[in-house]
Amino acid sequence: MAHSLKFEKESVQTSERVKCVDLHSSKPWVLAAVYSGNICIWNYHSQKIEKSFKVTESPVRSAKFIERENWIVVGADDGLLRVYNCDTMEMIKEIEAHTDYIRCLAIHPTLPYVLSASDDKLIKLWDWEKGWICSRVFEGHGHYVMQAAFDPKALNTFASASLDGTIKIWNMDSGSLDFTLDAHSKGINCIEYFMAGDKPFLISGSDDFTAKVWDYEAKSCVQELEGHTHNVTAIGVHPELPIIMTCSEDGTVRVWDKTSYRLENTLEYGLERVWTVAYVKDSSKVVLGCDKGTVVVNISGSHGSDAAADV
């Protein structure tokens, strides 16, 4: 059970405000996108910065590894999408993607696709095998689109979350909207798919200080996670460990049991607001990005058949 897990702060890299983190699945690397316009790769084994450079004078709000191509893709407030070689940090592509801030990038698990979500209220689908063409534009949100997430079960479907308070489910093939959930009383900052047993769920985090779990097939809210005292900024549902992590501007990360939704732990590392969380399959590490830096947390203990190997 989740309550037997231990959360041990392993290392901290202090920096300016970190808006996005990503964890490499085979190298001891954390990719961090910083509000100052920099990105850096931090080696959590050696505790050293491996690579760091200025992308733009604007804040960088999203940066992701595309491991199968050995790339990093970056989205910034200048509306540009940039692609870099992971080893040389040479820029491979620069695209005028949006007319406003890029809030989020999502990498498709199997297909050569990236989704970008923006304050221009649009979500765009990019196909890197076709020279990074924009193959679809998804329009329908009434406010900034804060996050998009691919459905891991239905690979032609994704969800988006917006400050308009709705979750929208889209068909990637047709470009059409499947349905809308009027999800929160205030803006939604984050969304994620997860499996509990054989059943798929969505979880959303909002400026109403709550996270909500959705049976999206039934279009119903099955649980509300309450207790944060400020906006919920990011959500992580670990692929092996039986936990949900909700991050907030209140400076805490709350850890919930994935099945019972019971609060199991509250983590606080003194790095002020928590903006982002990352994890990978087959690893017991979780990375958090905050106002004052990045922290790597190692999760250990007994968790039954959901045991995760360390990287």
Side-chain angles (χ1 to χ4, degrees):
M1 290 300 294
H3 61 257
S4 62
L5 297 173
K6 291 189 178 71
F7 297 83
E8 298 157 322
K9 182 172 73 174
E10 190 169 275
S11 49
V12 175
Q13 169 70 29
T14 57
S15 72
E16 297 174 73
R17 188 189 312 170
V18 177
K19 295 301 292 182
C20 183
V21 289
D22 198 20
L23 195 57
H24 200 282
S25 67
S26 60
K27 297 175 181 175
W29 285 358
V30 175
L31 174 65
V34 184
Y35 193 78
S36 63
N38 291 356
I39 60 169
C40 70
I41 296 176
W42 177 43
N43 185 317
Y44 55 77
H45 281 171
S46 67
Q47 305 275 303
K48 290 180 179 168
I49 298 282
E50 297 234 344
K51 306 166 197 291
S52 178
F53 67 96
K54 188 87 164 175
V55 173
T56 171
E57 294 303 318
S58 307
V60 176
R61 295 182 194 271
S62 193
K64 301 278 182 173
F65 289 116
I66 304 179
E67 290 187 29
R68 53 196 187 268
E69 301 290 345
N70 200 35
W71 292 340
I72 294 167
V73 59
V74 181
D77 282 10
D78 58 13
L80 297 180
L81 198 63
R82 296 173 175 91
V83 186
Y84 297 90
N85 179 290
C86 213
D87 295 323
T88 64
M89 289 299 180
E90 176 191 1
M91 188 162 68
I92 296 163
K93 193 77 176 173
E94 184 177 76
I95 305 159
E96 291 185 14
H98 290 273
T99 58
D100 211 331
Y101 300 175
I102 298 174
R103 293 281 176 175
C104 164
L105 301 171
I107 316 301
H108 196 281
T110 55
L111 298 170
Y113 297 157
V114 175
L115 282 172
S116 58
S118 170
D119 284 7
D120 64 12
K121 307 177 190 175
L122 301 178
I123 306 150
K124 294 187 178 181
L125 181 70
W126 307 91
D127 185 334
W128 70 70
E129 282 190 354
K130 295 181 178 174
W132 287 93
I133 65 161
C134 178
S135 54
R136 288 251 185 256
V137 178
F138 303 88
E139 190 170 0
H141 277 297
H143 208 310
Y144 304 162
V145 187
M146 300 300 283
Q147 193 163 15
F150 285 109
D151 186 334
K153 299 292 279 184
L155 295 178
N156 66 335
T157 303
F158 72 91
S160 59
S162 168
L163 291 190
D164 64 16
T166 69
I167 297 166
K168 292 185 183 291
I169 309 296
W170 305 85
N171 184 300
M172 209 163 60
D173 296 337
S174 67
S176 62
L177 177 66
D178 283 351
F179 61 90
T180 298
L181 296 171
D182 289 319
H184 289 267
S185 61
K186 292 189 176 178
I188 306 171
N189 298 308
C190 47
I191 193 161
E192 184 160 350
Y193 286 92
F194 72 98
M195 298 293 293
D198 295 329
K199 192 161 178 59
F201 293 94
L202 272 170
I203 183 166
S204 54
S206 169
D207 287 348
D208 65 11
F209 304 176
T210 72
K212 290 183 180 181
V213 180
W214 301 89
D215 177 344
Y216 59 90
E217 292 174 334
K219 301 182 177 63
S220 64
C221 176
V222 297
Q223 189 72 32
E224 191 167 337
L225 306 181
E226 298 179 292
H228 282 295
T229 59
H230 214 304
N231 303 339
V232 178
T233 50
I235 290 167
V237 186
H238 201 281
E240 277 102 22
L241 303 174
I243 56 170
I244 296 168
M245 304 178 82
T246 56
C247 308
S248 172
E249 289 186 47
D250 64 16
T252 71
V253 177
R254 288 182 165 244
V255 183
W256 314 81
D257 185 280
K258 189 159 73 174
T259 308
S260 69
Y261 306 116
R262 184 176 62 229
L263 180 65
E264 298 287 357
N265 212 324
T266 301
L267 312 176
E268 189 165 9
Y269 297 109
L271 297 174
E272 298 187 2
R273 294 173 295 183
V274 187
W275 294 108
T276 175
V277 58
Y279 48 84
V280 288
K281 199 175 177 184
D282 300 324
S283 171
S284 59
K285 297 192 193 317
V286 171
V287 183
L288 303 165
C290 311
D291 268 342
K292 293 194 167 180
T294 308
V295 56
V296 177
V297 180
N298 194 60
I299 305 172
S300 61
S302 170
H303 33 83
S305 61
D306 284 306
D310 197 358
V311 288

PDB file of all heavy atoms in Angstrom, residues 7 19 119 132 141 165 210 226 251 254:
ATOM      1  N   PHE A   7       9.546   8.825   1.186  1.00  0.00           N
ATOM      2  CA  PHE A   7       9.913   9.840   0.202  1.00  0.00           C
ATOM      3  C   PHE A   7      11.165  10.549   0.706  1.00  0.00           C
ATOM      4  O   PHE A   7      11.110  11.290   1.679  1.00  0.00           O
ATOM      5  CB  PHE A   7       8.762  10.829   0.015  1.00  0.00           C
ATOM      6  CG  PHE A   7       7.525  10.178  -0.542  1.00  0.00           C
ATOM      7  CD1 PHE A   7       6.642   9.510   0.281  1.00  0.00           C
ATOM      8  CD2 PHE A   7       7.275  10.216  -1.894  1.00  0.00           C
ATOM      9  CE1 PHE A   7       5.513   8.899  -0.229  1.00  0.00           C
ATOM     10  CE2 PHE A   7       6.147   9.611  -2.425  1.00  0.00           C
ATOM     11  CZ  PHE A   7       5.266   8.940  -1.588  1.00  0.00           C
ATOM     12  N   LYS A  19       9.814  26.023 -14.619  1.00  0.00           N
ATOM     13  CA  LYS A  19       8.433  25.891 -15.085  1.00  0.00           C
ATOM     14  C   LYS A  19       8.109  24.498 -15.615  1.00  0.00           C
ATOM     15  O   LYS A  19       6.946  24.125 -15.713  1.00  0.00           O
ATOM     16  CB  LYS A  19       8.142  26.921 -16.186  1.00  0.00           C
ATOM     17  CG  LYS A  19       8.209  28.364 -15.723  1.00  0.00           C
ATOM     18  CD  LYS A  19       7.217  28.658 -14.602  1.00  0.00           C
ATOM     19  CE  LYS A  19       5.777  28.612 -15.052  1.00  0.00           C
ATOM     20  NZ  LYS A  19       4.839  28.960 -13.944  1.00  0.00           N
ATOM     21  N   ASP A 119      -1.649  30.101 -25.110  1.00  0.00           N
ATOM     22  CA  ASP A 119      -2.549  31.175 -24.686  1.00  0.00           C
ATOM     23  C   ASP A 119      -3.361  31.757 -25.849  1.00  0.00           C
ATOM     24  O   ASP A 119      -4.285  32.543 -25.622  1.00  0.00           O
ATOM     25  CB  ASP A 119      -1.751  32.317 -24.027  1.00  0.00           C
ATOM     26  CG  ASP A 119      -1.308  31.973 -22.614  1.00  0.00           C
ATOM     27  OD1 ASP A 119      -1.497  30.814 -22.198  1.00  0.00           O
ATOM     28  OD2 ASP A 119      -0.765  32.854 -21.931  1.00  0.00           O
ATOM     29  N   TRP A 132       8.087  18.605 -39.581  1.00  0.00           N
ATOM     30  CA  TRP A 132       7.470  19.419 -38.540  1.00  0.00           C
ATOM     31  C   TRP A 132       6.319  20.270 -39.087  1.00  0.00           C
ATOM     32  O   TRP A 132       6.099  21.393 -38.647  1.00  0.00           O
ATOM     33  CB  TRP A 132       8.499  20.305 -37.820  1.00  0.00           C
ATOM     34  CG  TRP A 132       9.391  19.532 -36.907  1.00  0.00           C
ATOM     35  CD1 TRP A 132      10.611  19.006 -37.215  1.00  0.00           C
ATOM     36  CD2 TRP A 132       9.126  19.169 -35.547  1.00  0.00           C
ATOM     37  NE1 TRP A 132      11.126  18.330 -36.128  1.00  0.00           N
ATOM     38  CE2 TRP A 132      10.242  18.429 -35.089  1.00  0.00           C
ATOM     39  CE3 TRP A 132       8.063  19.402 -34.655  1.00  0.00           C
ATOM     40  CZ2 TRP A 132      10.314  17.916 -33.789  1.00  0.00           C
ATOM     41  CZ3 TRP A 132       8.148  18.900 -33.380  1.00  0.00           C
ATOM     42  CH2 TRP A 132       9.259  18.162 -32.946  1.00  0.00           C
ATOM     43  N   HIS A 141     -11.531  26.092 -27.176  1.00  0.00           N
ATOM     44  CA  HIS A 141     -11.429  26.622 -25.812  1.00  0.00           C
ATOM     45  C   HIS A 141     -11.669  28.133 -25.814  1.00  0.00           C
ATOM     46  O   HIS A 141     -11.334  28.833 -26.779  1.00  0.00           O
ATOM     47  CB  HIS A 141     -10.066  26.306 -25.200  1.00  0.00           C
ATOM     48  CG  HIS A 141      -9.978  24.933 -24.621  1.00  0.00           C
ATOM     49  ND1 HIS A 141     -10.756  24.517 -23.560  1.00  0.00           N
ATOM     50  CD2 HIS A 141      -9.200  23.873 -24.951  1.00  0.00           C
ATOM     51  CE1 HIS A 141     -10.458  23.267 -23.254  1.00  0.00           C
ATOM     52  NE2 HIS A 141      -9.524  22.840 -24.090  1.00  0.00           N
ATOM     53  N   GLY A 165     -12.103  26.552 -17.544  1.00  0.00           N
ATOM     54  CA  GLY A 165     -12.718  25.633 -16.589  1.00  0.00           C
ATOM     55  C   GLY A 165     -13.175  24.314 -17.179  1.00  0.00           C
ATOM     56  O   GLY A 165     -13.785  23.502 -16.482  1.00  0.00           O
ATOM     57  N   THR A 210      -8.450  22.451  -5.969  1.00  0.00           N
ATOM     58  CA  THR A 210      -8.752  21.023  -5.915  1.00  0.00           C
ATOM     59  C   THR A 210      -8.178  20.299  -7.126  1.00  0.00           C
ATOM     60  O   THR A 210      -7.855  20.904  -8.150  1.00  0.00           O
ATOM     61  CB  THR A 210     -10.269  20.750  -5.882  1.00  0.00           C
ATOM     62  OG1 THR A 210     -10.828  21.026  -7.183  1.00  0.00           O
ATOM     63  CG2 THR A 210     -10.977  21.580  -4.822  1.00  0.00           C
ATOM     64  N   GLU A 226      -9.164  17.361  -1.987  1.00  0.00           N
ATOM     65  CA  GLU A 226      -9.169  18.678  -1.357  1.00  0.00           C
ATOM     66  C   GLU A 226      -8.089  18.772  -0.298  1.00  0.00           C
ATOM     67  O   GLU A 226      -7.681  17.768   0.284  1.00  0.00           O
ATOM     68  CB  GLU A 226     -10.533  18.946  -0.715  1.00  0.00           C
ATOM     69  CG  GLU A 226     -11.689  18.972  -1.688  1.00  0.00           C
ATOM     70  CD  GLU A 226     -13.014  19.214  -0.998  1.00  0.00           C
ATOM     71  OE1 GLU A 226     -13.466  18.324  -0.250  1.00  0.00           O
ATOM     72  OE2 GLU A 226     -13.571  20.307  -1.196  1.00  0.00           O
ATOM     73  N   GLY A 251       3.213  25.516  -2.094  1.00  0.00           N
ATOM     74  CA  GLY A 251       4.550  25.029  -1.768  1.00  0.00           C
ATOM     75  C   GLY A 251       4.605  23.569  -1.370  1.00  0.00           C
ATOM     76  O   GLY A 251       5.669  23.069  -1.001  1.00  0.00           O
ATOM     77  N   ARG A 254       1.098  16.979  -2.399  1.00  0.00           N
ATOM     78  CA  ARG A 254       0.284  16.021  -1.650  1.00  0.00           C
ATOM     79  C   ARG A 254       0.304  14.682  -2.382  1.00  0.00           C
ATOM     80  O   ARG A 254       0.182  14.637  -3.600  1.00  0.00           O
ATOM     81  CB  ARG A 254      -1.146  16.539  -1.477  1.00  0.00           C
ATOM     82  CG  ARG A 254      -1.181  17.691  -0.488  1.00  0.00           C
ATOM     83  CD  ARG A 254      -2.576  18.228  -0.228  1.00  0.00           C
ATOM     84  NE  ARG A 254      -2.550  19.068   0.957  1.00  0.00           N
ATOM     85  CZ  ARG A 254      -3.210  18.807   2.091  1.00  0.00           C
ATOM     86  NH1 ARG A 254      -3.994  17.760   2.182  1.00  0.00           N
ATOM     87  NH2 ARG A 254      -3.093  19.616   3.132  1.00  0.00           N
TER      88      ARG A 254
END
